[in-house]
Amino acid sequence: MFSPDIVIAAVLNGLLTGAVYALVSVALTLVYGVLHIINFAHGAILTAAMFAAFFAHQAGIDPLLSVLFIAPAFFALGYAVQRWIIGPASHGDDRNILLVTLGLSIVIENVLLAAFRSDTRSIDVPYGFSVVDLGFVFLPMPRVIAFGVTCVVAALLWALLTRTDTGKAIRAVAKEKLGASLVGIDVTHIYAVTFGIGAACLAVAACVLLPSYYVNPRVGTAYVLVAFTVVVLGGMGSVPGAMIGGLLIGVVESLSGLYFGESLGQLGIFLIFILVLLVRPTGLFGARA
Amino acid sequence: MTGPVNTSPRTSLLAAYGPILAVALVLALLPLATTANTVLNAMVLALLIALAGQGWNILGGYGGQFSFGHAVFFGTGAYAVALLQSRLGLNAYLAFGAAVAIGAAVGAAIGFLSFRSGLRGSYFALVTLAFAEVFRIVANASPWTGGASGALIKLDMRPENFQFASRATFFWIALALVTAALVATRMMERSRFGAYLVAIRENEDAAKALGVNTFRVKLQAITASAAVTAAAGAFYAQYFLFVDANIAFGTWISVEALLVPIVGGLGTVFGPLIGALALHGLAEATKALAGRLPGADLALYGALLVLAIAFAPNGVQGLFNRLKGGFSTRRAA
């Protein structure tokens, strides 16, 4: 139907988009793995981070530079939100955490809407329209950068989770909350740290997304629905699952966009989502139901 | 976050249904006090949300299954009533009944698929959200539903078409629907089925171990829940004579349907009605104060959701009961 060149280009583009999906999904799955709850405020935090990156750019700082302070700022913000809002408000009941994060997302999105209206904004960067020539295919520079940054963040996360005491504590809390607190791990603190790391990952995703994308108060919703799919596909709580799932969904979206047109490409994602939930809710890599 | 468990099955009929009738009668007098269309319009909307929330309450409040996509039932009801009239030329009242039945069928189908796969908690919330999104995308793209421009019901203002010149008539019909839902919820609460449902909310595994057919009970609950919310959607379409995908299947209605029972009192008969009246009263007040700042009312709803869970886990009613309890213990001491 299509020449191999076009299909290969679509696959590569899908992988580049998929890398950002992977980054957003890793943040979601990490929080799920530890708190055992879907964070419905995920998309809203991404949107807020994109606005932060946008206004940093207005002040003359390139997103690739501003990520160095936006990411730590969002770590602090995520830590505070979990420690002083979500934790105390939910009284330790899972169903309450769901509702509190839903409430937070509504607040964040609509405060942004009230402050900035529903205008769509985008930024201009010098590398915005440059391309990388691989000989047989051209790839857009901002997305290649996004892919590279994602790989770096994934490596850092992996090192953090496997090589540091904090990482060990996070994995311990994810496995067995009670046991972890018995050996002296401050579970409340670890919850907040994990939430903070999730928010920092979203801040990085926001900064690499902005040069090739746009921002408005609803922009996060599109990404978070994809992230839900990726996380369920990869197995809730599985970090490698989210990485591979993200890349896979990126390719699926790109190819179904090529074959069926853009609007139905989105539908394909949801159908995969429902199908995976119904047939194998533990995902491709998850062990626990 | 738990409502009061079925206390005594032998409570007298008067104690069980009296308050519902009293509230309905008092509210029914409202159109005699005011003929202002804005007030009546706001009241019709509040009752509509109360009805949608009552549907959510059956599944979420009594059964503990939190749906984040009740828009799928609301939208099905709304589109069904519009399309059955405009495409098939069905009588409006028949279309209304059919819309409720179709909504119930969609509820049963979604419930069958998700509960058979054992989805609970986050997973159930996610799958309902995804179904609502799929319905929204399809309704927005399919030519049969009118695509992005939505579906219209032809204006022909005669009582036999379920179209009335007076807002008061619509108000009374909405009130009758809400009252019927209140009575049905009370009947459910007093029945064996209601007890099973609460048992599932409190501890599903224990309920199963005691011989409750949890799959069947949850399936019946989501079917009833979907029917009530679909009735709200059908009424919405009949009232405005218009629906589109973002109204019918939009996030706003999923959020409002779960917000009103939580604010009013989860798993209680009057919770959704109290929540809807309180929230809409508050929203009107903010509009008057803050003007038409976009998103201000929704931001307020979100903040209320968080505050309600943090400080009033049993809703407005729980707050009152706690105050009463506080006074009586103080008196006793």
Side-chain angles (χ1 to χ4, degrees):
Chain A
M1 201 146 80
F2 290 103
S3 78
D5 272 5
I6 295 179
V7 175
I8 289 171
V11 169
L12 286 177
N13 266 307
L15 282 176
L16 296 184
T17 315
V20 179
Y21 290 163
L23 193 53
V24 176
S25 312
V26 161
L28 189 63
T29 211
L30 197 65
V31 173
Y32 181 85
V34 174
L35 278 81
H36 298 294
I37 214 69
I38 283 284
N39 170 20
F40 274 91
H42 208 66
I45 297 175
L46 179 68
T47 312
M50 284 177 83
F51 268 105
F54 176 81
F55 285 109
H57 181 265
Q58 293 296 89
I61 310 167
D62 189 276
L64 293 179
L65 212 62
S66 64
V67 69
L68 295 177
F69 62 86
I70 292 179
F74 269 76
F75 174 84
L77 198 72
Y79 186 96
V81 162
Q82 165 61 32
R83 178 123 204 187
W84 290 296
I85 298 180
I86 300 178
S90 54
H91 311 290
D93 182 336
D94 282 359
R95 285 189 286 229
N96 289 349
I97 305 181
L98 269 183
L99 295 172
V100 171
T101 59
L102 180 71
L104 277 178
S105 81
I106 300 169
V107 171
I108 298 172
E109 270 182 13
N110 287 289
V111 165
L112 289 172
L113 181 68
F116 306 118
R117 304 298 156 116
S118 49
D119 304 342
T120 290
R121 298 169 164 86
S122 56
I123 62 168
D124 253 337
V125 287
Y127 51 87
F129 290 99
S130 46
V131 289
V132 179
D133 185 0
L134 291 184
F136 58 97
V137 60
F138 293 101
L139 295 174
M141 184 59 125
R143 289 183 172 200
V144 174
I145 295 175
F147 186 83
V149 171
T150 301
C151 293
V152 172
V153 172
L156 285 176
L157 257 182
W158 179 80
L160 176 83
L161 286 177
T162 56
R163 293 279 183 274
T164 67
D165 282 348
T166 310
K168 209 182 256 177
I170 290 176
R171 285 185 292 135
V173 173
K175 269 221 172 69
E176 177 53 60
K177 189 171 79 178
L178 192 65
S181 67
L182 281 176
V183 296
I185 295 172
D186 182 351
V187 173
T188 325
H189 173 71
I190 291 299
Y191 275 3
V193 166
T194 312
F195 207 88
I197 294 174
C201 286
L202 285 175
V204 176
C207 290
V208 297
L209 257 180
L210 196 58
S212 61
Y213 211 64
Y214 56 84
V215 55
N216 66 37
R218 300 249 174 270
V219 70
T221 318
Y223 274 88
V224 83
L225 287 170
V226 174
F228 285 159
T229 315
V230 168
V231 166
V232 167
L233 184 69
M236 291 225 208
S238 158
V239 172
M243 294 300 294
I244 296 168
L247 296 174
L248 204 63
I249 288 293
V251 173
V252 166
E253 188 190 39
S254 170
L255 285 181
S256 54
L258 180 65
Y259 285 103
F260 308 118
E262 286 294 332
S263 64
L264 288 178
Q266 211 193 0
L267 194 63
I269 292 181
F270 285 113
L271 292 180
I272 291 180
F273 181 39
I274 292 175
L275 217 64
V276 174
L277 268 176
L278 296 180
V279 178
R280 195 176 155 77
T282 51
L284 301 177
F285 302 93
R288 201 183 38 237
Chain B
M1 213 139 177
T2 51
V5 181
N6 229 352
T7 39
S8 157
R10 264 179 287 162
T11 357
S12 74
L13 284 177
L14 187 69
Y17 298 102
I20 298 176
L21 289 179
V23 167
L25 281 177
V26 169
L27 283 176
L29 295 177
L30 185 87
L32 305 180
T34 175
T35 48
N37 266 347
T38 44
V39 176
L40 285 180
N41 190 39
M43 283 301 289
V44 169
L45 277 178
L47 287 176
L48 197 98
I49 298 299
L51 190 61
Q54 193 65 271
W56 191 92
N57 192 32
I58 292 171
L59 183 67
Y62 288 95
Q65 312 297 313
F66 284 13
S67 151
F68 279 19
H70 250 51
V72 71
F73 309 130
F74 184 87
T76 303
Y79 265 105
V81 91
L83 294 177
L84 286 175
Q85 288 179 69
S86 64
R87 301 261 165 188
L88 303 180
L90 212 62
N91 170 276
Y93 296 95
L94 285 179
F96 191 90
V100 173
I102 294 171
V106 169
I110 291 178
F112 179 79
L113 289 171
S114 3
F115 294 138
R116 196 200 46 174
S117 314
L119 300 184
R120 297 183 193 180
S122 293
Y123 290 93
F124 182 69
L126 277 177
V127 85
T128 49
L129 184 83
F131 271 114
E133 273 301 294
V134 167
F135 274 62
R136 188 183 63 79
I137 295 172
V138 170
N140 204 34
S142 158
W144 202 76
T145 55
S149 48
L152 285 163
I153 298 173
K154 208 168 82 187
L155 179 71
D156 185 359
M157 214 176 275
R158 283 180 300 171
E160 59 264 40
N161 289 338
F162 205 150
Q163 295 182 26
F164 308 97
S166 150
R167 296 270 159 110
T169 317
F170 271 115
F171 172 80
W172 281 316
I173 293 173
L175 185 62
L177 286 172
V178 169
T179 309
L182 288 174
V183 169
T185 311
R186 178 70 87 203
M187 279 166 69
M188 185 198 80
E189 202 180 64
R190 290 158 57 91
S191 71
R192 189 167 280 268
F193 167 74
Y196 289 158
L197 199 57
V198 171
I200 289 174
R201 173 186 77 197
E202 294 302 322
N203 190 333
E204 188 167 341
D205 296 322
K208 204 173 199 164
L210 286 172
V212 176
N213 186 343
T214 55
F215 174 71
R216 209 175 76 193
V217 171
K218 286 196 289 183
L219 195 58
Q220 287 167 337
I222 196 174
T223 309
S225 168
V228 175
T229 304
F235 185 85
Y236 183 99
Q238 197 60 42
Y239 183 60
F240 289 102
L241 300 178
F242 170 74
V243 282
D244 73 16
N246 288 321
I247 295 172
F249 295 113
T251 328
W252 73 279
I253 186 68
S254 294
V255 169
E256 292 221 12
L258 71 87
L259 191 56
V260 292
I262 289 170
V263 169
L266 205 57
T268 61
V269 170
F270 283 108
L273 181 61
I274 294 175
L277 293 177
L279 276 182
H280 277 255
L282 200 71
E284 293 300 320
T286 10
K287 266 181 207 157
L289 288 176
R292 297 251 163 211
L293 201 59
D297 49 343
L298 273 177
L300 187 75
Y301 283 5
L304 272 177
L305 178 58
V306 176
L307 288 176
I309 291 162
F311 300 112
N314 294 323
V316 176
Q317 288 185 74
L319 218 56
F320 275 123
N321 290 342
R322 216 157 66 189
L323 280 179
K324 263 195 307 195
F327 288 139
S328 52
T329 40
R330 214 173 299 155
R331 217 176 297 138

